[in-house]
Amino acid sequence: MKKLAVFCLAIILSTGASFGWGFKKDTPETEGRGYVGTLPDISKSFNTNEPKDTKPLFEESKDFNSASEIKPVPRDNPAFVNIILKDNKTSPYLNDINELLPQLENLLICIEDKESVQLFNAKAFFFTKTVEYLRNKYENTPESNYISFKKLMELSTHTQSVATLRAEAEKYRPYLAYTGAGYLYNDNVIDQQLDYLKTEIEDTIVVLKEAH
């Protein structure tokens, strides 16, 4: 029994200093530094929060300013016309006098170019009839107090007078002398009246444009 105990003690003493197959004894270099072995790489098992490169949702257009790349304006779409472009809010009166501007400009050119009596009277007749329509339409309305309205009425009367004078001169001049009643149909008198009318037309055009 004593021999068995001595034998076991000898085995323990011979193996206590070399556990190389299981654990490594701390040395002065590693003592107090924790585990210094190699750990397995487990990062592949987890998803990281690092940003990744993503593809843009819209492709860049190199020819953005090109007419072929821009979608046409939907002018046939009532929603676009009513909301984006808006309906024409100009009053009927302004629309009416706006239509008179081309007539006045044509009448002015007719005087400046010294066109025939027939052509002048035709343009004058068309203008006075248009003003007569406005007179009937806006008489006894607030628009009849506008400066532009009163100016048109005065110009229409003056235009009609000059047109009548020129028509009578063409008709009666061969039979009347340049004295007495025939003096009214003198070329100098008619030219003077045309100059007055020209100035009045120019003033009226300015008034109508300012009304807008």
Side-chain angles (χ1 to χ4, degrees), residues 138-199:
Y138 295 105
E139 190 175 13
N140 299 322
T141 66
E143 286 80 1
S144 63
N145 296 316
Y146 293 170
I147 296 177
S148 56
F149 182 85
K150 294 179 179 180
K151 193 70 175 175
L152 283 170
M153 299 303 115
E154 294 173 358
L155 179 61
S156 177
T157 301
H158 191 183
T159 302
Q160 183 61 54
S161 298
V162 174
T164 301
L165 177 63
R166 297 192 71 180
E168 290 178 350
E170 287 288 305
K171 182 177 180 181
Y172 300 119
R173 184 182 297 168
Y175 310 104
L176 297 173
Y178 286 150
T179 60
Y183 175 77
L184 292 175
Y185 305 125
N186 186 292
D187 289 339
N188 292 332
V189 173
I190 293 177
D191 289 342
Q192 188 179 51
Q193 291 299 316
L194 286 173
D195 287 339
Y196 291 154
L197 181 62
K198 176 178 176 293
T199 300

Side-chain angles (χ1 to χ4, degrees), residues 103 123-133 135 155-157 159-160:
Q103 295 185 38
K123 293 182 178 181
F125 176 81
F126 185 48
F127 168 68
T128 54
K129 284 300 179 182
T130 304
V131 173
E132 182 180 349
Y133 163 78
R135 180 188 291 110
L155 179 61
S156 177
T157 301
T159 302
Q160 183 61 54

Side-chain angles (χ1 to χ4, degrees), residues 60-128:
E60 180 181 0
S61 177
K62 297 181 180 179
D63 300 324
F64 179 77
N65 293 325
S66 174
S68 60
E69 295 291 331
I70 301 176
K71 187 176 181 180
V73 174
R75 295 185 180 275
D76 295 333
N77 188 336
F80 176 81
V81 174
N82 294 333
I83 297 175
I84 305 301
L85 296 182
K86 301 294 184 182
D87 290 331
N88 185 10
K89 302 300 182 182
T90 307
S91 70
Y93 174 76
L94 290 181
N95 287 333
D96 287 338
I97 65 173
N98 187 55
E99 293 179 359
L100 276 170
L101 284 171
Q103 295 185 38
L104 291 177
E105 291 169 351
N106 289 334
L107 196 57
L108 186 63
I109 294 173
C110 184
I111 296 174
E112 292 175 341
D113 293 348
K114 301 183 181 301
E115 293 180 354
S116 66
V117 175
Q118 290 75 16
L119 185 58
F120 171 83
N121 283 6
K123 293 182 178 181
F125 176 81
F126 185 48
F127 168 68
T128 54

Side-chain angles (χ1 to χ4, degrees), residues 4-16:
L4 180 60
V6 173
F7 178 75
C8 291
L9 180 60
I11 294 174
I12 292 172
L13 292 176
S14 63
T15 60

Side-chain angles (χ1 to χ4, degrees), residues 37-50:
T38 302
L39 295 176
D41 184 7
I42 61 173
S43 62
K44 296 181 179 180
S45 301
F46 300 92
N47 293 324
T48 64
N49 292 326
E50 295 181 0

Side-chain angles (χ1 to χ4, degrees), residues 19-32:
F19 285 92
W21 53 271
F23 299 96
K24 181 179 181 182
K25 185 177 180 180
D26 287 343
T27 64
E29 290 79 8
T30 62
E31 189 174 9

